[in-house]
Amino acid sequence: TFTMANMVPQRPNLNRVAWRGLEEQVRDWACSEGELRVVAGPIFDTDLIQLSSGVAIPRRFFKVVLDET
């Protein structure tokens, strides 16, 4: 799970506020339900901001949470 292959840079406000809250909520659901399936990723637009290394920072992300129970 924790490899550089599944990491995407996020803007500080998203990472520290909205995404953090979402991660906490999903963790709570997983603890109460026992198991969830979660898929998350970036949405790349045409007007990307890039780090000096050339790595793109997406403006938007998605997360799908599935509770099969």
Side-chain angles (χ1 to χ4, degrees):
T1 300
F2 299 101
T3 68
M4 294 298 284
N6 69 354
M7 295 176 69
V8 178
Q10 293 180 337
R11 293 167 185 223
N13 192 43
L14 172 64
N15 185 267
R16 295 177 189 146
V17 182
W19 200 259
R20 178 181 174 183
L22 182 58
E23 288 287 328
E24 290 171 358
Q25 180 63 64
V26 172
R27 192 174 303 112
D28 289 346
W29 288 335
C31 289
S32 66
E33 296 299 319
E35 183 176 323
L36 296 175
R37 301 203 186 275
V38 181
V39 178
I43 300 172
F44 289 102
D45 296 319
T46 55
D47 59 339
L48 293 173
I49 294 174
Q50 294 185 347
L51 300 173
S52 59
S53 64
V55 174
I57 304 174
R59 293 185 186 276
R60 301 180 295 150
F61 288 79
F62 71 91
K63 182 174 288 249
V64 178
V65 180
L66 174 64
D67 178 357
E68 295 188 64
T69 62

